[in-house]
Amino acid sequence: MVPQGMHDGHGKHAALIVATGLAVMFVAATLLTPLYPLYRRSFGFGGIALTLVYSIYVLGNLGALFFFARLSDQAGRRFIVWPAVGIAIASTAAFGLATGIAWLFVGRALSGFATGLASSAMAAWIAELQPEGKSNAGAVMASTANFAGLAAGPWLSALAAQLGLHPLRLPFALYGVVLLLMGIALGRVPETVAHPQRRLAELSLRPRFGVPKNILAAFVAPAVTAFLTFALFGFYAALIPGVLAEALKDPRPLVSAAVVFVLFMVAALMVVLACRVPSRAAMLWGLGLFPPGAALLVLSERLHGMSLLLAASVLAGAAGSLGYRGSLAVVNRIAPAGRRGEIVATYLIMMFCGNSLPVIGIGLLAAKTGAPAAHVAFAGLIAALAVIGLLVGWRYAPRDG
């Protein structure tokens, strides 16, 4: 709800500021993608270490989710968002000053924590700034901002790397300035929590998660969808530069940035274009698109085809967008009002696990069998889980309305 005394136009303008801030926070998740080959050469680490660097981001996400996700409801949105921006700036400084792989672990962990802390508070802030009865507009705005930030992330670092402009320093200096400006802009946005608590004794950090037995069957398909969406997105963010360099013989940073951009821009556009598609149908369509998307990804590697890789990116972006929006809406609908927070937290845990565990598995398997075989196994896992999710979702996911 827009704070009392604010016109709808002012509320929309404030929501746009917060949505821009959310996009800026998500830039960090893919900012490093074109730089991973440079880091490997500069710091001398292998594929397994790379997957661990990528995946530690999720530990930061989970730490924020477990212990601090509820704080913005209690202490106010700005009270949480400003510290998150500060932590993001510290993370950016760690990357900019990095002289070894330990700095990358620290930077990624801090970045994951900052994004996890800010994302839930900013999504709620956007929803509350919408005119009454327009809550779906807030969800569309937040989802679009999320994907737009992920799409923009690789370009800054890719341009610096392609042009040889201090690629391991300059992108982070510029991003730090953008974060600082964003933090200042957020000071213009009104607080939407009516009576924020400031006393530590009144704040609760106790994590809540779990799924009641009576909705467990209906929860399976959304949970599988969340896992698959971010498993596929994680593959692109962590491993696409390696696929381009080794299989497609094109190591240019701008090319990896373009592939990731196509993935997330398709996802962002699909959020807007398919916003009227019922949530159950969106989730099931997303699940149905995962197997062909994963198959095209593997085929592009085997046949050394850039056009196939771009087609796979389009399918993966559409599948992830439909699946993410639809599955989250289904979870919100099946969750009892008194337990919605803990059920959504469980859903997010599945999402974050999808973002890390498959990437780690691919890294470990690739060390033994080679990357192509590991990627085939990954595609098989995606297809199998998508079929399971589709069958269970068709049977148990409730229809809209």
Side-chain angles (χ1 to χ4, degrees), residues 218 222 277-285 326 329-334 390-401:
V277 176
S279 57
R280 178 180 182 272
M283 179 182 72
L284 295 179
W285 272 105
V330 169
V331 167
N332 280 326
R333 193 165 66 252
I334 66 176
L390 193 57
L391 293 174
V392 175
W394 188 269
R395 174 69 178 84
Y396 293 106
R399 295 182 182 274
D400 293 50

Side-chain angles (χ1 to χ4, degrees), residues 120-316:
S120 58
M122 294 174 95
W125 211 355
I126 292 168
E128 290 161 355
L129 288 165
Q130 301 302 314
E132 194 161 352
K134 299 286 186 179
S135 59
N136 185 59
V140 170
M141 184 179 285
S143 299
T144 305
N146 183 330
F147 290 130
L150 292 169
W155 286 110
L156 185 61
S157 52
L159 284 169
Q162 192 73 51
L163 299 174
L165 299 174
H166 305 287
L168 303 186
R169 300 286 184 265
L170 181 60
F172 303 106
L174 296 175
Y175 182 53
V177 172
V178 173
L179 284 168
L180 183 60
L181 294 175
M182 183 196 80
I184 295 170
L186 289 170
R188 298 171 57 85
V189 180
E191 179 58 70
T192 53
V193 175
H195 303 288
Q197 303 293 334
R198 291 291 187 266
R199 295 174 57 192
L200 291 177
E202 296 173 336
L203 302 178
S204 173
L205 300 181
R206 186 167 62 89
R208 290 183 184 177
F209 50 92
V211 181
K213 288 184 179 179
N214 63 314
I215 65 165
L216 188 57
F219 180 81
V220 168
V224 168
T225 307
F227 184 93
L228 290 177
T229 296
F230 284 85
L232 207 51
F233 286 175
F235 181 97
Y236 274 83
L239 302 175
I240 276 299
V243 171
L244 287 167
E246 294 167 19
L248 276 69
K249 309 303 180 187
D250 195 337
R252 290 176 294 173
L254 281 177
V255 176
S256 62
V259 171
V260 175
F261 176 80
V262 168
L263 172 77
F264 288 117
M265 276 311 297
V266 168
L269 290 172
M270 189 60 72
V271 170
V272 178
L273 295 175
C275 64
R276 295 186 183 276
V277 176
S279 57
R280 178 180 182 272
M283 179 182 72
L284 295 179
W285 272 105
L287 286 166
L289 290 174
F290 278 122
L296 276 179
L297 184 60
V298 170
L299 211 57
S300 70
E301 186 175 9
R302 288 299 177 99
L303 300 180
H304 315 294
M306 177 60 72
S307 58
L308 287 174
L309 179 58
L310 291 175
S313 304
V314 170
L315 275 180

Side-chain angles (χ1 to χ4, degrees), residues 16-101:
L16 184 60
I17 293 175
V18 181
T20 303
L22 183 61
V24 169
M25 291 298 293
F26 272 98
V27 163
T30 53
L31 182 61
L32 266 68
T33 296
L35 301 180
Y36 285 135
L38 297 182
Y39 280 124
R40 290 183 66 174
R41 289 197 297 269
S42 298
F43 299 159
F45 57 84
I48 294 177
L50 170 62
T51 59
L52 293 177
V53 167
Y54 173 81
S55 299
I56 200 169
Y57 177 87
V58 177
L59 293 182
N61 286 149
L62 291 174
L65 175 67
F66 279 162
F67 300 110
F68 299 101
R70 297 170 58 207
L71 272 186
S72 75
D73 291 332
Q74 304 169 63
R77 308 304 178 199
R78 193 183 295 112
F79 183 82
I80 298 303
V81 168
W82 271 345
V85 173
I87 295 168
I89 291 173
S91 162
T92 304
F95 290 129
L97 298 171
T99 55
I101 192 172

